[in-house]
Amino acid sequence: MEPAQYILVEKRPQAAGGEPTPATGLSADFPVYGSMHTHQAHEIIYVVQGAARVVIGGSQYQAQAGSVVFISHLEIHRVEPLTEDYTRYFVIVPPAAVREITASDRLASIFVNRPVGFFHCLDMSGHAPYLERLFGEMHDESRLRPVLAEERLRCLLAELLIYLYRQQPEAFPVPDSPMDRVVQQ
């Protein structure tokens, strides 16, 4: 599978134990349910309602309404809806887009650094109105593709990362040792 060239955003309901409802066509290229799989791009999941079990490598999380989950490219994972009303946005972000929008290693770190104790799932339930607006705008740009959509998607993604960093800076691990910094580069 070729990595996505653009930031892609989809919103989709998924019933527990069922197939995803038809959506914008990402399903074939980006399987998100069932068996363990990887992508050549990063993935962000924002749970709008309901709950899902998210398994990433050896970690398991229960993502509920207001959760934001970060999955790095090539990180093996699986999403299993737990409730009938599970609805989420998912954002596919090519690694090149992360490099283009984040001049700060700190903002990019949530996609690439996985130190011991890293937590993929952020509880942002107290910030739902802001996040739903932001993810909604990202979805509209991705779906409608107006003039300069990709540029706006990058701006919205940067806004999301800055907002999340301001709320939970500990979720953005920065390498501590000189050797860690060399490996990151």
Side-chain angles (χ1 to χ4, degrees), residues 111-153:
F111 290 107
V112 296
N113 295 337
R114 296 297 184 260
V116 173
F118 179 80
F119 203 73
H120 296 83
C121 185
L122 307 178
D123 177 8
M124 298 298 294
S125 55
H127 305 268
Y130 179 81
L131 292 174
E132 286 181 29
R133 179 197 57 81
L134 191 59
F135 278 95
E137 289 180 22
M138 293 171 76
H139 179 250
D140 289 345
E141 291 293 322
S142 180
R143 184 175 50 87
L144 300 173
R145 289 285 175 197
V147 174
L148 299 175
E150 194 62 27
E151 288 77 3
R152 178 124 193 273
L153 279 165

Side-chain angles (χ1 to χ4, degrees), residues 22-84:
T24 62
L26 294 181
S27 306
D29 295 331
F30 296 98
V32 292
Y33 301 108
S35 63
M36 297 292 276
H37 63 278
T38 64
H39 306 291
Q40 293 180 15
H42 305 297
E43 182 174 355
I44 304 168
I45 298 170
Y46 173 64
V47 180
V48 177
Q49 65 184 30
R53 178 179 305 111
V54 181
V55 179
I56 305 170
S59 300
Q60 181 172 293
Y61 308 93
Q62 183 166 327
Q64 300 178 58
S67 295
V68 182
V69 181
F70 283 85
I71 304 167
S72 185
H73 75 298
L74 304 180
E75 221 169 8
I76 191 162
H77 63 281
R78 174 178 68 232
V79 178
E80 303 167 358
L82 297 174
T83 62
E84 292 296 323

Side-chain angles (χ1 to χ4, degrees), residues 81-119:
L82 297 174
T83 62
E84 292 296 323
D85 63 345
Y86 173 64
T87 302
R88 54 73 182 127
Y89 286 99
F90 75 94
V91 182
I92 300 297
V93 183
V98 172
R99 288 188 297 275
E100 289 172 13
I101 66 166
T102 58
S104 163
D105 287 342
R106 180 163 304 278
L107 290 179
S109 70
I110 198 163
F111 290 107
V112 296
N113 295 337
R114 296 297 184 260
V116 173
F118 179 80
F119 203 73

